[in-house]
Amino acid sequence: MSQNNVLKGVFLVALGATSYGMLATFVKMAYSEGYTTAEVTTSQFVLGILGILLINAFQKIKHKENVVKATSKNIFHLMLAGTSLGMTSLFYYLAVKYIPVSIGIVLLMQTVWMGVLLEMILEKKLPSKQKVVAVLIVLIGTALATNLINNDIKLDWRGIAWGILAAASFTTTMFTANRVATEISSAQRSLYMLLGGAIIVFSFAFATQTTTFNLAIFMKWGIVLSLFGTIIPPMLMNAGFPLTGIGLGSIVSALELPVSVMMAFILLNEKVIFLQWLGIVLIIVAIIIMNVNFKRKN
């Protein structure tokens, strides 16, 4: 693979990660205007599905008979996998309702050690020393990034709980997304996973929305959230990861963490102290350690 292709992949993954990093700040801003979690998630998924439908239609016209159609089995498996995508959005957005965005994104990054744990359970073998070291660094980084050592800081337990659930759900999404129906186009896979996620999101909205649904959310924040959450990042990352490889791609995608904290710092005026930045750096270092091959080639 040429250096130009790798650089192109890095650029695409970096843009996708940056887009994801902006999401929580936009959600927090929507909350400040009185919109509910149900309204935020529903608008994001409805417009996201419409956007992906248009992309699929364009690809079908452009490639015609070359497009591999999803089977009913593919669709079922993707929609089932997509339910964890819907739960991730719900849990993460509920988390940032109670805690700062800079803390919420750190909790979401617990997917690093959760992924190692899930891999150990599924493959029935102990993780490598490299991964164990990375997990320990993540835990230390999390303690610093969430400012747990400062007794003056009191975090709402609901936000912590939702954040951990979001990380667990996101871990499931990452494991299933790269293993289910990989033979069909990324646009089709994104569509059916979104439809699966929409079932969770719409059920939540139906159960929790006690006031009249404010349709203004679609034009006010829905377009932004769907673009930066469900349309742009998956398309960019699906295009970038094959060029970078999983290791380098995972390292570059960690850009989501500092971008999210910076957005909260600039737009929401969230206070982020030096120790928290140090914790964030440690988490990024752990992700690099997990994805770099330190073995020397003969």
Side-chain angles (χ1 to χ4, degrees), residues 226-249:
S226 62
L227 279 174
F228 286 94
T230 52
I231 298 175
I232 295 175
M235 299 303 292
L236 290 177
M237 287 185 165
N238 282 326
F241 264 89
L243 300 176
T244 61
I246 296 297
L248 179 58

Side-chain angles (χ1 to χ4, degrees), residues 106-125:
V106 169
L107 292 176
L108 189 64
M109 284 294 164
Q110 301 312 296
T111 51
V112 176
W113 65 263
M114 288 183 181
V116 172
L117 181 63
L118 183 60
E119 187 179 53
M120 183 180 72
I121 294 169
L122 294 177
E123 297 186 3
K124 296 178 181 179
K125 66 178 183 180

Side-chain angles (χ1 to χ4, degrees), residues 11 32 73 114-115 179 214 217-218 227 241 252 263 288:
F11 179 71
S32 69
K73 186 178 179 180
M114 288 183 181
R179 289 166 171 77
N214 190 346
I217 185 71
F218 283 95
L227 279 174
F241 264 89
V252 176
M263 286 286 290
I288 293 171

Side-chain angles (χ1 to χ4, degrees), residues 59-70:
Q59 287 188 350
K60 193 173 182 180
I61 293 169
K62 185 179 179 181
H63 299 291
K64 295 181 181 177
E65 69 278 356
N66 293 328
V67 175
V68 178
K69 291 184 179 179

Side-chain angles (χ1 to χ4, degrees), residues 254-276:
L255 187 63
E256 177 186 351
L257 179 54
V259 167
S260 186
V261 176
M262 281 300 297
M263 286 286 290
F265 178 74
I266 295 168
L267 296 180
L268 301 176
N269 296 316
E270 287 190 5
K271 185 180 178 181
V272 185
I273 64 174
F274 173 75
L275 280 179
Q276 287 177 277

Side-chain angles (χ1 to χ4, degrees), residues 56-105:
N56 272 284
F58 175 77
Q59 287 188 350
K60 193 173 182 180
I61 293 169
K62 185 179 179 181
H63 299 291
K64 295 181 181 177
E65 69 278 356
N66 293 328
V67 175
V68 178
K69 291 184 179 179
T71 64
S72 56
K73 186 178 179 180
N74 289 152
I75 294 171
F76 173 75
H77 286 161
L78 285 168
M79 288 185 68
L80 188 63
T83 57
S84 63
L85 182 67
M87 285 188 280
T88 300
S89 294
L90 274 178
F91 296 156
Y92 187 39
Y93 294 175
L94 284 168
V96 297
K97 191 173 184 179
Y98 300 106
I99 57 177
V101 169
S102 54
I103 304 297
I105 186 64

